[in-house]
Amino acid sequence: MLACAVALSVAAAFWAMGARLVLPFAVLGSTAVALAFLWYARHATDREILVLDGQRLVVEWEQAGAVRRRELARHWLRVEDAGHGAGLVELRAGTARVQVGRYARPEQRRQLARELRWALATAPTASSV
């Protein structure tokens, strides 16, 4: 933001010396920077959380301030690989489908699918605790 203030100050000086088109372009550039900061701030807290809780897997994701939550029955849950690392990992429980791995790099999604399968196979269920 300091860079925008400096750019606007320099543009105002040029405007005062008679270069009338410098200030509108500086305002346009500073507006673009401000919009980029706003967009970044809106998405800075985007996240996915997966919690294996006894008989269910809770998937919660936040995108641009909107929080969504899905619960999938553990005993019906199937993990489908991202396939060549390009797509998202799909979780299926009956007719319910949830895609996860939005914020993981493509090459990490296959590892995410493996770790989910491992956690489903090894974590104790509520009835076995």
Side-chain angles (χ1 to χ4, degrees):
M1 292 313 242
L2 180 61
C4 290
V6 170
L8 289 173
S9 299
V10 170
F14 276 101
W15 181 77
M17 290 189 289
R20 301 289 183 212
L21 291 179
V22 174
L23 186 59
F25 282 103
V27 169
L28 184 65
S30 295
T31 302
V33 169
L35 290 174
F37 274 120
L38 288 173
W39 183 85
Y40 175 78
R42 183 172 173 94
H43 290 280
T45 60
D46 289 359
R47 61 187 167 86
E48 287 180 334
I49 297 175
L50 285 76
V51 177
L52 187 55
D53 182 19
Q55 294 298 322
R56 63 193 174 136
L57 176 71
V58 179
V59 180
E60 181 177 291
W61 64 99
E62 180 177 353
Q63 191 170 14
V67 178
R68 293 184 212 128
R69 178 185 169 110
R70 294 286 303 265
E71 295 183 15
L72 304 169
R74 179 180 178 176
H75 63 279
W76 292 102
L77 192 59
R78 299 292 174 259
V79 179
E80 303 220 354
D81 206 340
H84 306 302
L88 298 177
V89 176
E90 187 169 81
L91 306 176
R92 293 183 182 193
T95 60
R97 293 180 181 190
V98 177
Q99 292 183 328
V100 297
R102 285 170 189 79
Y103 308 112
R105 292 191 317 263
E107 61 271 11
Q108 292 177 319
R109 292 177 184 153
R110 192 171 288 166
Q111 179 182 353
L112 172 64
R114 276 195 309 268
E115 289 179 8
L116 282 170
R117 285 189 198 101
W118 177 82
L120 289 168
T122 60
T125 60
S127 58
S128 66
V129 174

